[in-house]
């Protein structure tokens, strides 16, 4: 980081920072908040931050993929902007207590790409699309919430190079996840859809919107290290 500006004040057990700004990760970060120490020597961090044109790949590289291997820097491209409100408990050594983290925010990801991401590539069992190995999109907007050890992703629409789809789901800090996907394929790509099982239509796994456009309902979840893709029976 460089060009770090702001003000801070200290009193026993608490440091407060205000109007903190800096250039970092090829973009800029600003925010306000405090770090407080509890009676048991643990800490609590609370703040609100704004991100402007942060490079996603560089962020994952800098923070060593945030200690997980589900999605890595080599799987991502894009420029991130948004806001984040965070409540972060830590132990006495400032190690985050993951299950107690609470956060919410809004984000916009521009000129993004998802490259060789195994859960998405697993859709090839249902959709014969070579584009699944490298999906690009102009802009993606959504909210997100972190609570009770889970990251929640509300329903959002994605227009990508592979297909138009909507997605929602949750992902916990122990790397268990479940995503629900509705894929609306364009005319150009619709012939590449693998035919579903004959008994899935009556359960709603496949829908037609009345305009000749087919929606395929799928669920992506994990079984330990294994990615499991199935029809989303509704």
């Amino acid at each position: 980081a460089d060009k770090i500006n702001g003000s801070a004040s200290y009193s026993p057990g608490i440091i407060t920072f205000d109007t903190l700004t800096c250039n970092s990760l090829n973009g800029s970060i600003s925010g306000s908040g405090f770090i407080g120490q509890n009676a048991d020597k643990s800490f609590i961090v609370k703040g609100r931050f704004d991100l402007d044109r942060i490079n996603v790949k560089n962020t994952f590289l800098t923070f060593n993929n945030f200690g997980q291997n589900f999605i890595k820097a080599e799987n991502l491209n894009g420029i991130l902007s948004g806001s984040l409100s965070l409540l972060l408990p830590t132990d006495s050594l400032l190690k985050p207590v993951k299950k107690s983290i609470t956060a919410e925010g809004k984000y916009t990801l521009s000129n993004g790409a998802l490259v060789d991401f195994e859960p998405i590539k697993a859709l090839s069992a249902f959709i014969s699309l070579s584009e699944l190995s490298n999906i690009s999109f102009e802009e993606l907007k959504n909210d997100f919430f972190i609570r009770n050890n889970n990251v929640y992703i509300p329903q959002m629409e994605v227009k990508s190079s592979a297909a138009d789809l909507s997605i929602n789901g949750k992902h916990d800090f122990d790397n268990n996840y479940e995503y629900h996907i509705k894929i609306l394929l364009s005319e150009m790509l619709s012939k590449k859809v693998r035919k579903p099982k004959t008994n899935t239509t009556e359960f709603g796994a496949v829908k037609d919107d009345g305009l000749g456009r087919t929606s395929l309902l799928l669920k992506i979840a994990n079984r330990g290290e294994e990615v499991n893709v199935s029809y989303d029976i509704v």
Side-chain angles (χ1 to χ4, degrees), residues 189-200:
L189 298 176
S190 61
K191 294 181 181 180
K192 299 180 182 179
V193 183
R194 298 188 190 279
K195 290 185 178 180
K197 297 177 182 179
T198 55
N199 65 342
T200 56

Side-chain angles (χ1 to χ4, degrees), residues 129-154:
L129 290 174
S130 61
E131 291 91 341
L132 287 174
S133 61
N134 191 339
I135 299 175
S136 60
F137 49 88
E138 289 186 8
E139 186 175 80
L140 181 64
K141 290 184 176 182
N142 202 10
D143 300 335
F144 73 93
F145 305 90
I146 300 176
R147 57 176 66 97
N148 300 322
N149 202 43
N150 281 278
V151 180
Y152 294 91
I153 301 174

Side-chain angles (χ1 to χ4, degrees), residues 166-178:
S166 61
I167 183 171
N168 70 85
K170 64 178 181 179
H171 198 129
D172 71 23
F173 292 132
D174 298 316
N175 208 27
N176 299 304
Y177 55 87
E178 180 177 299

Side-chain angles (χ1 to χ4, degrees), residues 55-75:
N55 185 292
V56 172
K57 180 185 287 291
N58 286 353
T59 301
F60 272 68
L61 284 171
T62 299
F63 290 97
N64 194 27
N65 295 314
F66 298 95
Q68 52 82 46
N69 56 16
F70 174 73
I71 185 167
K72 300 180 180 180
E74 56 263 33
N75 302 129

